[in-house]
Amino acid sequence: ASSSCPYCCSFCTTAAFYGQYIEKLPKETYEEVIQQFEKYNKRLFFMTDSLLNNVITSLSVEFIKSKYTFYLDGYFRVCNEATDLKNTILWRQGGLYRVRIGVESGSQKILDLMDKKITVEQTRATLIGFAYAGIKTTAYFVIGHPEETEEDFQMTLDLLEEMKNYIWQAECNPFTYHYKNQGSSDRWAKFRKPLYPERAKDILITQSWVVDCEPSREVAYERVFRFTEKCKELKIPNPYSIEEIYKADERWKSLHKNAVPNLVHIMNNEIEIDESKKITIPEFVISETNTTEFGF
């Protein structure tokens, strides 16, 4: 539905590689989905957009018109719009099935260094907004970003624990430096050094580079290990096999009334054709807040 990304985070290369951000008409995207459905009889689609934020409302309005429910899985950015249940329920009705969110860190200092232009409070409210609508949330984290301290990392673990019931899947990756075309490649250039020694040059296809600053590479990978152990302790899945996904979906269904259908049921066509259009705002949210908007 779109190409490239309107943002430029410090560790990301998307904007540099894909150029100017552009969008297609929502009707064109819907017609492509219909073509694929008629050819392959599949109803769940992975969207290759860098971010769905700018297009998801218009896509949802278009997809709600269909007699079928089509499910969309794609990348999403923490934003104020996702903290409003009027929006997340609309997106759920339009078929939004899973969002892959760049949470990145629980430290505001690190988010600012990343130039994410989001707050930790927005992250909390976004995860809750999607979860109450039943949309599966994959929370991605970057561990070991330059200048991340032990205190910053602990904030990430604290956020993970606080949000455990609103995260369907948690996954982390160690910070990786790119020689150029990364959001902050030039800013980090004075700290870069070859990962492998000069004597290894003849056996390498290409050299890899790292940033010679805190935290060290060793510390970053040790934190990755601690992150995964924390997820195990909190029982937050990072599923890949069908069996693991099934168990993660069952957990999600036990936590959220509006939970999207189990992936296995979608694969087997064991769901109603208009399943998503019946979704409404949970009654307990209305009774507790008397509003459809979170005030985080």
Side-chain angles (χ1 to χ4, degrees), residues 144-242:
H145 188 279
E147 299 184 47
E148 180 190 75
T149 64
E150 177 61 26
E151 182 181 6
D152 295 320
F153 177 64
Q154 187 59 51
M155 291 178 183
T156 293
L157 296 183
D158 292 343
L159 179 66
L160 191 68
E161 182 163 7
E162 181 184 356
M163 293 287 104
K164 63 181 181 180
N165 289 340
Y166 307 103
I167 297 175
W168 176 77
Q169 173 192 25
E171 179 172 308
C172 76
N173 290 281
F175 169 80
T176 302
Y177 173 70
H178 296 265
Y179 194 91
K180 61 180 180 178
N181 290 328
Q182 203 169 16
S184 292
S185 290
D186 293 341
R187 174 158 61 96
W188 294 323
K190 61 184 177 181
F191 300 113
R192 69 181 173 220
K193 68 175 184 179
L195 175 59
Y196 302 106
E198 181 68 20
R199 64 178 183 275
K201 184 173 65 174
D202 293 340
I203 62 173
L204 295 174
I205 295 174
T206 183
Q207 178 63 272
S208 296
W209 299 81
V210 294
V211 180
D212 187 15
C213 64
E214 294 299 324
S216 68
R217 183 176 170 86
E218 291 77 12
V219 168
Y221 276 86
E222 185 266 341
R223 288 175 182 168
V224 167
F225 175 78
R226 289 165 57 195
F227 180 96
T228 57
E229 289 300 298
K230 187 68 174 179
C231 287
K232 292 177 185 177
E233 174 192 326
L234 299 172
K235 295 182 170 53
I236 303 175
N238 187 8
Y240 282 90
S241 70
I242 289 296

Side-chain angles (χ1 to χ4, degrees), residues 78 101-106 111 116 118 123 127 138-141 159:
V78 168
I101 305 172
V103 171
E104 321 303 8
S105 176
L111 291 176
K116 286 293 293 186
I118 62 172
T123 296
L127 290 170
T138 291
Y140 291 124
F141 294 81
L159 179 66

